[in-house]
Amino acid sequence: ADSYQYQNNQHRKEQQTLSTKITLLLGSLLMSSVSLAAPFTIEPKSNWNIINDTVMGGVSSSSVSYDNKVATFSGELSLDNNGGFASTRARLTAKVPAKATHVNIRVKGDGRQYQLRLRTSNDWDAAAYSRTFNTESGKWLTYQFSAEEFIALFRGQIIDAPKLNLTDVKQVGFLLADKQAGQFSLSFKSILLD
């Protein structure tokens, strides 16, 4: 009887151990799937490049600063010498997941209208997919845009181009070209593609 009780207890312990291992394995798999499902993030502290109308003789100026997990694109827009735009962009360091269908941004502006610009090429002078958005002075706003909302542009002109597929995005940036001379400031936090 004692031998039978001992074997029974051992069998129960083995079942409990197996059950614990299965639970841990399932938990690990679940965590992995959650991790894979997380949005693709473009951090504000990326390598942002400045491209202003100075490339065509204009005199607008801008820069990107970073403080406490917030990037700020600011400067002065000038209409002199047929200018009138200021922009910044960053190259992605990883490929956007195939599941991504939306772009989410959180911005704080100055009441001016800006453009979110996505590029599917790493070339400097390539077509961009653009989506305009308004800002309210000193107020944080959250926007979500679907890929279908972006318009293909080349040097400010609408062009015939393939529909935007977020998986193909290689550059992301902001542009100001509202034909209003003066100082501007646009702050932004992480940009999410999901």
Side-chain angles (χ1 to χ4, degrees), residues 53-116:
D53 56 21
T54 51
V55 297
M56 48 176 278
V59 293
S60 296
S61 61
S62 68
S63 63
V64 175
S65 59
Y66 180 80
D67 181 53
N68 196 27
K69 298 182 179 180
V70 175
T72 300
F73 169 50
S74 61
E76 185 163 1
L77 194 70
S78 172
L79 306 182
D80 293 347
N81 299 343
N82 294 316
F85 77 86
S87 72
T88 184
R89 67 176 82 156
R91 288 185 176 181
L92 305 191
T93 56
K95 188 171 176 61
V96 178
K99 64 181 180 58
T101 57
H102 292 83
V103 183
N104 304 271
I105 59 172
R106 186 157 173 77
V107 295
K108 181 175 71 173
D110 46 15
R112 301 178 75 155
Q113 186 180 77
Y114 292 83
Q115 295 178 35
L116 173 63

Side-chain angles (χ1 to χ4, degrees), residues 32 59 130:
S32 296
V59 293
S130 174

Side-chain angles (χ1 to χ4, degrees), residues 11-143:
H11 181 66
R12 204 174 285 124
K13 283 181 182 178
E14 287 174 3
Q15 282 186 320
Q16 287 175 346
T17 302
L18 181 61
S19 176
T20 301
K21 286 181 178 178
I22 290 173
T23 302
L24 289 172
L25 178 61
L26 288 174
S28 176
L29 289 172
L30 181 61
M31 287 179 67
S32 296
S33 66
V34 169
S35 175
L36 288 172
F40 181 85
T41 307
I42 302 160
E43 296 294 346
K45 196 176 183 179
S46 296
N47 186 21
W48 294 92
N49 297 305
I50 296 296
I51 300 174
N52 298 328
D53 56 21
T54 51
V55 297
M56 48 176 278
V59 293
S60 296
S61 61
S62 68
S63 63
V64 175
S65 59
Y66 180 80
D67 181 53
N68 196 27
K69 298 182 179 180
V70 175
T72 300
F73 169 50
S74 61
E76 185 163 1
L77 194 70
S78 172
L79 306 182
D80 293 347
N81 299 343
N82 294 316
F85 77 86
S87 72
T88 184
R89 67 176 82 156
R91 288 185 176 181
L92 305 191
T93 56
K95 188 171 176 61
V96 178
K99 64 181 180 58
T101 57
H102 292 83
V103 183
N104 304 271
I105 59 172
R106 186 157 173 77
V107 295
K108 181 175 71 173
D110 46 15
R112 301 178 75 155
Q113 186 180 77
Y114 292 83
Q115 295 178 35
L116 173 63
R117 290 196 155 200
L118 307 177
R119 284 179 165 79
T120 56
S121 168
N122 276 322
D123 293 342
W124 173 80
D125 193 22
Y129 291 85
S130 174
R131 176 62 165 87
T132 59
F133 61 92
N134 296 314
T135 63
E136 294 181 32
S137 184
K139 183 177 180 180
W140 282 103
L141 301 173
T142 301
Y143 287 101

